[in-house]
Amino acid sequence: TVVTQKPPAVTVEKGETVTMDCNLGSVIGDSSRWYKQSPGGVPQFILSNYHGWSNPRYGSGFSSPKFTSNHQSQSDYRLIINNVQEGDSAVYYCHTWDSSASQFVSQ
C-alpha cells in the first residue's frame, strides 16, 4: 500500500494559508493522522481525521482554526495550516494504520 503526499515541499509567506494533500490509496479503514517534525525534534501529533467524523481530533497543543483537516473522499485528506508563521516550518507526515498489512504506513 502506498501513501502519497502532495506537494512534497511548499514555500509560503507569513500569514498565508498552506494546504497539503494526502492520498491513502486503498487504506480507507482507519483515520488519517498528521504529524509535524521540526528540525532536530521528534514528530508531534497534530490531528487525526476520518471521513465518518464531523470534526478532526487534535493532539495536545494543536487546535482549530490554526490547524484543520478535511477530506475529499475516503482516501483523500487535506491538512490546512492557517496564518503560517516561521515556527510552522517543518516536515509534515501523513500517517495511517493499514489493517490489511497490520502495519503503519506514512509519507
Side-chain angles (χ1 to χ4, degrees), residues 1-5 20-25 27-37 43-50 53 69 74-75 77-79 91-99 102-107:
T1 302
V2 177
V3 179
T4 57
Q5 182 179 321
M20 286 172 275
D21 294 319
C22 181
N23 181 278
L24 302 180
V27 187
I28 58 175
D30 205 346
S31 61
S32 66
R33 299 161 191 173
W34 292 91
Y35 290 82
K36 173 187 178 181
Q37 186 170 16
Q44 298 174 281
F45 171 66
I46 303 172
L47 58 81
S48 60
N49 198 6
Y50 186 61
W53 299 349
S69 176
Q74 291 187 49
S75 58
Y77 290 85
R78 173 172 289 170
L79 176 68
V91 176
Y92 290 85
Y93 294 95
C94 175
H95 183 85
T96 193
W97 171 255
D98 185 347
S99 57
S102 295
Q103 64 183 7
F104 284 104
V105 291
S106 62
Q107 182 71 26

Side-chain angles (χ1 to χ4, degrees), residues 9-95:
V10 64
T11 302
V12 297
E13 299 293 329
K14 287 201 298 183
E16 292 184 344
T17 296
V18 64
T19 63
M20 286 172 275
D21 294 319
C22 181
N23 181 278
L24 302 180
S26 61
V27 187
I28 58 175
D30 205 346
S31 61
S32 66
R33 299 161 191 173
W34 292 91
Y35 290 82
K36 173 187 178 181
Q37 186 170 16
S38 299
V42 298
Q44 298 174 281
F45 171 66
I46 303 172
L47 58 81
S48 60
N49 198 6
Y50 186 61
H51 70 277
W53 299 349
S54 57
N55 293 298
R57 299 177 183 178
Y58 291 92
S60 178
F62 298 94
S63 63
S64 177
K66 174 69 176 183
F67 295 91
T68 189
S69 176
N70 58 36
H71 50 84
Q72 288 70 52
S73 70
Q74 291 187 49
S75 58
D76 291 293
Y77 290 85
R78 173 172 289 170
L79 176 68
I80 304 163
I81 309 174
N82 293 299
N83 189 25
V84 169
Q85 301 297 315
E86 290 179 2
D88 298 320
S89 180
V91 176
Y92 290 85
Y93 294 95
C94 175
H95 183 85

